[in-house]
């Protein structure tokens, strides 16, 4: 009798111990696959803050998250096939730039993979979402609508040199660029500026457009956040130096005098937060579209000196970041 | 066992021990557990309440500071610069826009509500965009010298904005300008996120219409959904105290509290998931539960141990008593324990041994007594036999055999034997068989008597039967027995005379 009782007690204790151990051991973490789709190398700078934001939220690459990067290098056909390819293998697809978002959204028909777009134009006008507060589909994100800040960029040019009259505005045939161009025209009219416009449809045309500018024809250059125009960065730099005129971009470049656009450091984590919510089961249809918390005006004094510009104090006062300042 | 079944009130010691031990151990534990639970519950509630009220105060302070900051910046700018020559209002407004990202749109109006300057964070505005806002609520309030904080509204891209307006007065106190600003409330979210409410609790801000203004999750704010279905918010809007737990903003059960803000119709709500709020209560209840289970197990084990050491030997004793009671005095109990039960077992075995001894002695005595009794009976039977058929030699060659009592088969044989012995002994010629004392003569007796008479005749003796009663006579007739060749006379006297006569002796008178 005694031994049997001891056996029962012992086995009971063992079972309890095993149950505790089983409860204590967490299940192996799932490795989430997150795709990052880029249309061109122009915005690779925006990737870092997203993954850093993911780290802040507890995602360690190789441990519980895996990133699949695809960059179409400006080739629209590649962009479409990359979008379809990524959608087939990831849990969430992050698209950077308007063309990426549009391509992914189109390729997602029937696939229903959550998409988080970033650095896009107006998501409602693009048809990515039904409304900002209730996207209603498979896509949500952080939109930066460069068209909204176009006027602001003209204003900044004016602040750099109040004597500016003619602003060079090369734009592509991309529908979103047409929208931005329209905004630019409105702002120019308000500010009393004249736009010197050139519509192009290829990188070669873009370069040619900048090269064809006569000395003294324009007083400043507005560069849109367009993948085709971006290819003419060198031509723009040459023109700025030749005519000693300021240029302004959306995102900072090595040759940009000024850049006014979203602050990647704060907007990246916003994208990461949306990805995190989706990975935790949230439905993108109910995750409102956000706009970046912060926009930055970055002035590059090195470029300013290289060109030989004299900037007004006003613009330096309103700049968020001044590079190369003494 | 049968008795146990018959008596319904029988409760075995096993049950009693188990019940007593279980109740004795578990009841106090349950009582202390319940008391502990009640104490923990109220303590925890108090702690959560304190935690929430501190968090709410902190959020309220943050919001006040947030609004005060905008107001302060506007006041500083207006009082120092608007009235002075030098910088244009446009430049002043632009400077402020850049200085604080929370300002989305700044407008300066004169005392009539006419917009003098207007600057937006996003849009490029010109003098064509200036209008008259004399009819606006912000102008109406500010022109009376009051600060104005309007209702929350949704911006172009779905962010919560609010209009803040202050009067700019001259040295005489007249409202010279009205300075209005559209303020983006999203920068408040980060400040709120930093307010800690325990480990899982959270605070948020709701306006007077139950719309979410600030919360750590931007998505929730930007959804602009109707929050009147959240019980805590409903209570806050109706000015009622929150008494029960409810499904909170983040869709889990919470205990919540709210704090109305002083300068606005906004509320701070603080919610703590019940799982956290009552964590220690659940924890201590769990501990009590485990203790009760362990104690229950221990009490059962102790009870069973006691049963083993006390009840089992008792049952063995009970069985032994029954076996010995049934007569097996050689049965002994086997209890080896070194305690009172063991002593009792030994004493029982001693008692059984003594009993066996006593019974053996008494059985031996009984046997001896029975033997003696048998001998006596034998002797007496012998004596009685002799007495039952006496031979009386009344005269030479005449014997009288008086028979008294019933004559059975055995006795009939004895009578025959002793009669023949009497004839031989007394050389009798006449035997007088007196049956006056025989109450019943059946056919067997009659046959015996007949055979005896025939036997006597063979020995040369004549037999005369005397003393046949009426009853006997009737029986003989009824039975159809033929005693025709047997001499029967009325009584012993007549018989004796007849006997003498047959010997040739005449009795003279």
């Amino acid at each position: 009798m005694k031994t049997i009782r001891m056996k029962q007690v012992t086995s009971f204790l063992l079972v309890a111990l095993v149950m505790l151990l089983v409860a204590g051991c967490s299940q192996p973490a799932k490795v989430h696959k997150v795709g990052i789709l880029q249309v061109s190398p122009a915005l690779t700078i925006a990737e870092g803050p997203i993954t850093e934001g993911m780290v802040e939220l507890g995602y360690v690459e190789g441990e519980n998250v895996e990133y699949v990067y695809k960059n179409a290098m400006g080739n629209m056909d590649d962009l479409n096939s990359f979008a379809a390819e990524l959608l087939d293998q990831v849990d969430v697809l992050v698209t950077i730039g308007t063309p990426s978002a549009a391509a992914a959204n189109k390729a997602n028909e029937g696939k229903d993979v959550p998409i988080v777009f970033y650095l896009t134009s107006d998501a409602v006008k693009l048809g990515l979402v039904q409304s900002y507060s209730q996207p209603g589909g498979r896509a949500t994100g952080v939109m930066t609508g460069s068209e909204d800040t176009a006027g602001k960029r003209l204003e900044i040019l004016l602040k750099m040199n109040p004597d500016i009259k003619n602003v060079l505005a090369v734009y592509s045939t991309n529908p979103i660029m047409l929208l931005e161009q329209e905004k630019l025209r409105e702002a120019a009219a308000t500010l009393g500026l004249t736009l010197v416009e050139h519509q192009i449809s290829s990188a070669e045309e873009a370069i040619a457009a900048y090269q064809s500018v006569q000395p003294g024809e324009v007083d400043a250059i507005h560069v849109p956040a367009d993948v085709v125009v971006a290819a003419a960065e060198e031509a723009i730099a040459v023109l700025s130096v030749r005519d000693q005129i300021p240029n302004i971009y959306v995102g900072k470049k090595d040759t940009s005098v000024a850049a006014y656009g979203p602050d990647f450091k704060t907007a990246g984590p916003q994208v990461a937060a949306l990805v995190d919510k989706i990975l935790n089961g949230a439905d993108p249809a109910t995750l409102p579209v956000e706009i970046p918390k912060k926009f930055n005006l970055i002035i590059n004094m090195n470029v300013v000196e290289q060109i030989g510009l004299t900037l007004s104090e006003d613009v330096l006062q309103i700049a968020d970041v001044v590079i190369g300042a003494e | 066992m049968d008795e146990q079944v018959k008596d319904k009130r029988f409760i075995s010691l096993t049950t009693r021990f188990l019940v007593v031990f279980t109740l004795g151990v578990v009841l106090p534990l349950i009582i202390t557990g319940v008391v502990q639970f009640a104490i923990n519950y109220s303590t925890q509630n108090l702690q959560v309440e304190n935690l929430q009220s501190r968090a709410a105060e902190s959020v309220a302070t943050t919001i006040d500071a947030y609004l005060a900051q905008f107001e302060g910046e506007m006041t500083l700018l207006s009082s120092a610069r608007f009235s002075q020559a030098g910088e244009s209002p446009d430049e002043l407004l632009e400077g402020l826009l850049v200085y604080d990202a929370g300002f989305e749109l700044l407008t300066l109006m004169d005392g009539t509500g006419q917009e003098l300057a207007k600057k937006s964070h996003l849009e490029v505005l010109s003098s064509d965009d200036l209008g008259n806002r004399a009819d606006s609520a912000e102008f109406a309030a500010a022109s009376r010298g009051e600060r104005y904080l309007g209702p929350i509204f949704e911006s172009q891209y779905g962010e919560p904005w609010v209009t803040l307006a202050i009067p700019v007065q001259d040295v005489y106190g007249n409202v010279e300008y009205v300075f209005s600003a559209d303020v983006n409330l999203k920068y408040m979210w980060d400040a709120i996120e930093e307010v800690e409410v325990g480990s899982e609790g959270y605070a948020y801000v709701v306006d007077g219409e139950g719309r979410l203004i600030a919360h750590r999750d931007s998505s929730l704010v930007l959804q602009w959904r109707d929050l009147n279905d959240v019980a805590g918010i409903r209570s806050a809007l109706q000015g009622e105290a929150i008494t029960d737990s409810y499904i909170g903003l983040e869709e889990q059960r919470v205990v919540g509290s709210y704090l109305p803000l002083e300068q606005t119709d906004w509320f701070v709500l603080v919610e703590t998931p019940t799982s956290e709020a009552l964590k220690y209560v659940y924890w201590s209840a769990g501990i009590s539960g485990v203790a009760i289970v362990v104690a229950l197990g221990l009490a059962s084990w102790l009870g069973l141990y006691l049963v083993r050491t006390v009840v089992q030997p008792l049952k063995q004793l009970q069985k032994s008593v029954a076996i010995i009671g049934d007569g097996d005095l050689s049965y002994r109990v086997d209890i080896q324990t070194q305690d009172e039960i063991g002593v009792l077992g030994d004493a029982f075995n001693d008692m059984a041994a003594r009993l066996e001894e006593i019974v053996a002695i008494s059985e031996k005595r009984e046997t001896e007594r029975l033997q003696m009794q048998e001998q006596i009976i034998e002797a007496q039977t012998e004596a009685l036999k002799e007495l039952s058929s006496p031979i009386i030699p009344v005269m030479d060659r005449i014997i009288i055999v008086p028979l008294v009592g019933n004559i059975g088969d055995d006795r009939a044989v004895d009578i025959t034997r002793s009669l023949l012995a009497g004839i031989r002994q007394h050389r009798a010629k006449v035997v007088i068989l007196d049956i006056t004392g025989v109450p019943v003569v059946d056919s067997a007796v009659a046959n015996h008597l007949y055979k005896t008479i025939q036997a006597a005749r063979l020995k040369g003796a004549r037999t005369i039967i005397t003393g046949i009663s009426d009853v006997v006579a009737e029986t003989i007739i009824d039975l159809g027995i033929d005693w025709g060749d047997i001499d029967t006379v009325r009584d012993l006297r007549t018989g004796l005379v007849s006997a003498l006569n047959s010997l040739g002796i005449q009795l003279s008178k």
Side-chain angles (χ1 to χ4, degrees):
Chain A
M1 279 300 270
K2 250 179 201 174
T3 47
I4 286 169
R5 281 237 163 86
M6 277 310 290
K7 263 185 192 171
Q8 284 173 341
V9 169
T10 316
S11 49
F12 171 77
L13 286 176
L14 275 175
V15 167
L17 193 70
V18 167
M19 281 170 74
L20 275 176
L21 280 174
V22 167
C25 289
S26 51
Q27 290 179 339
K30 182 185 187 278
V31 179
H32 301 288
K33 251 187 170 178
V34 176
I36 297 181
L37 181 65
Q38 291 261 28
V39 60
S40 75
L43 292 169
T44 43
I45 190 174
E47 285 170 3
I50 300 175
T51 51
E52 281 159 27
M54 291 293 281
V55 171
E56 289 290 312
L57 292 166
Y59 292 90
V60 182
E61 195 169 355
E63 216 167 88
N64 57 355
V65 72
E66 192 185 309
Y67 299 106
V68 186
Y69 297 92
K70 288 281 176 190
N71 195 319
M73 307 304 272
N75 186 321
M76 291 300 150
D77 293 335
D78 282 354
L79 184 68
N80 289 327
S81 59
F82 286 165
E85 202 178 303
L86 283 175
L87 288 168
D88 281 337
Q89 51 173 305
V90 300
D91 298 317
V92 177
L93 177 60
V94 176
T95 65
I96 300 178
T98 304
S100 314
N105 199 47
K106 201 177 161 200
N108 201 25
E109 274 174 32
K111 289 188 177 161
D112 287 347
V113 176
I115 294 173
V116 176
F117 50 79
Y118 180 38
L119 301 179
T120 64
S121 307
D122 194 314
V124 171
K125 285 178 187 152
L126 281 172
L128 296 173
V129 297
Q130 287 166 13
S131 74
Y132 307 114
S133 59
Q134 293 290 328
R138 299 306 290 162
T140 186
V142 179
M143 63 172 215
T144 50
S146 61
E147 71 271 21
D148 285 324
T149 49
K152 210 68 192 170
R153 283 191 290 276
L154 284 187
E155 220 172 24
I156 293 162
L157 285 175
L158 204 55
K159 224 164 209 73
M160 287 181 188
N161 182 359
D163 298 331
I164 285 171
K165 290 281 175 240
N166 302 316
V167 178
L168 178 61
V170 176
Y171 65 103
S172 76
T173 47
N174 182 327
I176 292 301
M177 284 300 118
L178 297 179
L179 191 70
E180 176 168 346
Q181 198 67 12
E182 192 50 48
K183 289 257 184 176
L184 210 56
R185 284 183 199 122
E186 284 172 22
T190 307
L191 294 167
L193 294 171
T194 309
L195 287 186
V196 179
E197 300 184 52
H198 287 280
Q199 195 183 41
I200 51 98
S201 55
S202 70
E204 292 74 31
E205 282 182 38
I207 294 167
Y210 287 107
Q211 286 171 343
S212 68
V213 175
Q214 298 299 308
E217 190 186 342
V218 295
D219 307 315
I221 309 166
H222 176 271
V223 188
D226 180 70
V227 62
V228 184
V229 179
E233 190 184 330
E234 211 183 308
I236 296 166
V238 169
L239 180 60
S240 283
V241 174
R242 190 195 74 186
D243 288 3
Q244 290 187 304
I245 52 174
N247 60 47
I248 188 161
Y249 281 75
V250 177
K252 184 187 83 69
K253 305 279 177 198
D254 289 342
T255 58
S256 63
V257 171
Y260 183 73
D263 175 38
F264 295 145
K265 273 185 191 152
T266 51
Q270 283 180 271
V271 173
L274 287 174
V275 171
D276 173 51
K277 283 173 191 171
I278 291 169
L279 290 180
N280 282 311
D283 183 359
T286 60
L287 286 178
V289 174
E290 299 186 18
I291 57 175
K293 279 185 185 163
K294 202 177 165 200
F295 284 80
N296 273 345
L297 170 57
I298 304 168
I299 307 275
N300 192 337
M301 287 310 283
N302 296 330
V303 179
V304 169
E305 275 171 27
Q306 201 189 333
I307 296 173
L309 284 178
T310 313
L311 296 186
S312 77
E313 274 298 305
D314 288 355
V315 78
L316 291 178
Q317 273 182 6
I318 64 169
D320 298 282
V321 180
V322 180
I323 298 167
E326 286 151 28
Chain B
M1 276 310 280
D2 287 345
E3 281 172 52
Q4 293 172 10
V5 174
K6 276 178 208 159
D7 191 345
K8 282 180 182 170
R9 282 174 304 171
F10 177 88
I11 301 166
S12 86
L13 276 179
T14 313
T15 315
R16 281 176 208 260
F17 272 131
L18 284 181
V19 167
V20 166
F21 269 81
T22 309
L23 289 183
V25 174
V26 173
L27 262 190
L29 270 177
I30 289 175
I31 291 165
T32 48
V34 167
V35 170
Q36 192 78 34
F37 184 86
I39 293 171
N40 284 347
Y41 186 80
S42 65
T43 310
Q44 186 89 50
N45 262 348
L46 215 60
Q47 275 175 356
V48 169
E49 229 168 80
N50 281 338
L51 195 71
Q52 291 193 338
S53 83
R54 274 206 305 275
E57 293 283 352
S58 169
V59 171
T61 311
T62 305
I63 292 166
D64 282 343
Y66 189 77
L67 295 174
Q69 178 198 322
F70 292 115
E71 200 183 331
E73 285 163 5
M74 289 165 76
T75 309
L76 195 68
L77 187 75
S78 58
S79 61
R81 319 274 285 274
F82 284 145
S83 308
Q84 294 168 15
E87 286 179 274
S88 72
D90 273 348
E91 284 169 351
L92 291 172
L93 296 189
E94 179 126 26
L96 189 56
L97 273 184
V98 172
Y99 179 76
D100 194 328
F103 287 117
E104 295 287 353
L105 179 73
L106 291 171
T107 316
L108 184 69
M109 289 169 261
D110 66 14
T112 66
Q114 177 59 43
E115 291 177 334
L116 299 175
K118 199 168 178 177
K119 280 283 167 188
S120 157
H121 218 143
L122 274 179
E123 290 172 271
V124 177
L125 300 170
S126 71
S127 53
D128 295 341
D129 295 307
L130 301 176
N132 193 299
R133 273 160 73 182
D135 295 335
S136 67
E138 58 266 30
F139 179 79
S143 61
R144 288 195 301 271
E146 294 165 7
R147 186 197 77 143
Y148 172 81
L149 186 71
I152 308 291
F153 63 94
E154 194 176 340
S155 76
Q156 185 191 352
Y157 293 130
E159 292 177 333
W161 289 8
V162 69
T163 302
L164 178 66
I166 57 163
V168 181
Q169 290 156 321
D170 62 15
V171 286
Y172 307 107
N174 300 320
V175 177
E176 202 175 353
Y177 302 106
V178 168
F179 191 10
S180 159
D182 285 353
V183 172
N184 193 333
L185 294 177
K186 73 173 172 183
Y187 298 100
M188 209 158 71
W189 305 342
D190 292 339
I192 294 223
E193 194 178 348
E194 281 163 21
V195 175
E196 283 186 4
V197 190
S199 60
E200 286 168 57
Y202 50 88
Y204 57 93
V205 184
V206 169
D207 76 357
E209 289 175 41
R211 284 180 304 196
L212 188 62
I213 306 173
H215 181 57
R216 60 183 179 183
D217 183 352
S218 53
S219 297
L220 278 180
V221 183
L222 294 173
Q223 279 169 351
W224 289 92
R225 70 184 166 100
D226 183 14
L227 295 177
N228 276 289
D229 55 339
V230 177
I233 295 175
R234 217 167 38 234
S235 299
L237 292 174
Q238 290 165 2
E240 293 163 355
I242 302 173
T243 48
D244 287 324
S245 65
Y246 57 93
I247 303 300
L249 191 66
E250 294 188 3
E251 283 166 3
Q252 56 191 134
R253 186 154 284 280
V254 295
V255 285
S257 60
Y258 71 90
L259 179 71
L261 293 179
E262 282 174 16
Q263 299 185 26
T264 61
D265 61 352
W266 305 352
F267 298 91
V268 179
L269 270 110
V270 185
E271 293 177 346
T272 307
T274 47
S275 59
E276 188 198 343
L278 297 174
K279 192 166 75 182
Y280 293 107
V281 178
Y282 289 149
W283 191 72
S284 78
I287 291 281
S288 293
V290 169
I292 287 169
V293 169
V294 169
L296 201 65
L298 207 63
S300 307
W301 186 77
L302 277 175
L304 287 174
Y305 174 76
L306 264 177
V307 166
R308 271 214 313 283
T309 55
V310 176
V311 178
Q312 296 285 66
L314 278 182
K315 279 188 175 169
Q316 214 183 326
L317 281 173
Q318 184 191 11
K319 186 180 149 201
S320 309
V321 169
I323 290 172
I324 290 172
D326 284 347
D328 183 2
L329 294 178
S330 64
Y331 190 83
R332 297 288 180 273
V333 292
D334 180 21
I335 299 171
Q336 302 292 345
T337 56
Q338 302 297 315
D339 53 20
E340 288 85 344
I341 304 280
V343 172
L344 183 62
D346 290 345
F348 181 84
N349 282 342
D350 285 350
M351 184 197 75
R354 286 283 301 147
L355 200 61
E356 194 180 19
E357 208 175 298
I358 291 166
V359 169
I361 291 169
S362 103
E363 272 177 355
K364 193 181 162 198
R365 283 182 185 161
E366 180 70 9
T367 314
E368 286 171 358
R369 194 184 61 76
L370 282 175
Q371 279 175 356
M372 195 176 284
Q373 194 178 17
E374 228 165 83
Q375 286 170 2
I376 292 168
I377 289 169
E378 219 170 290
Q380 282 175 343
T381 309
E382 206 57 38
L384 207 64
K385 262 187 207 166
E386 282 168 21
L387 284 175
S388 68
S389 50
I391 307 295
I392 305 162
V394 284
M395 290 177 72
D396 191 28
R397 283 174 290 180
I398 298 172
I399 54 173
I400 298 175
V401 180
L403 296 176
V404 177
N406 285 326
I407 299 165
D409 290 346
D410 289 352
R411 200 179 166 201
V413 174
D414 287 342
I415 291 168
T416 309
R417 279 182 193 154
S418 49
L419 187 115
L420 294 176
I423 293 170
R424 193 176 57 242
Q425 191 184 351
H426 300 291
R427 285 177 300 171
K429 285 288 180 187
V430 180
V431 177
I432 300 170
L433 200 59
D434 182 52
I435 59 168
T436 313
V438 177
V440 179
V441 174
D442 56 16
S443 59
V445 172
N447 263 330
H448 268 297
L449 291 178
Y450 186 73
K451 283 174 187 169
T452 305
I453 292 162
Q454 294 302 326
R457 186 174 291 159
L458 289 175
K459 293 283 268 182
R462 181 191 164 212
T463 303
I464 300 164
I465 293 179
T466 64
I468 292 175
S469 67
D470 297 348
V471 175
V472 172
E474 275 174 24
T475 306
I476 288 169
I477 297 305
D478 285 347
L479 291 173
I481 297 166
D482 180 15
W483 273 9
D485 54 345
I486 293 170
D487 295 334
T488 55
V489 293
R490 191 179 63 243
D491 52 22
L492 190 57
R493 185 175 160 262
T494 318
L496 197 55
V497 171
S498 173
L500 289 173
N501 285 344
S502 66
L503 291 176
I505 301 162
Q506 291 295 317
L507 287 177
S508 59
K509 293 206 182 173

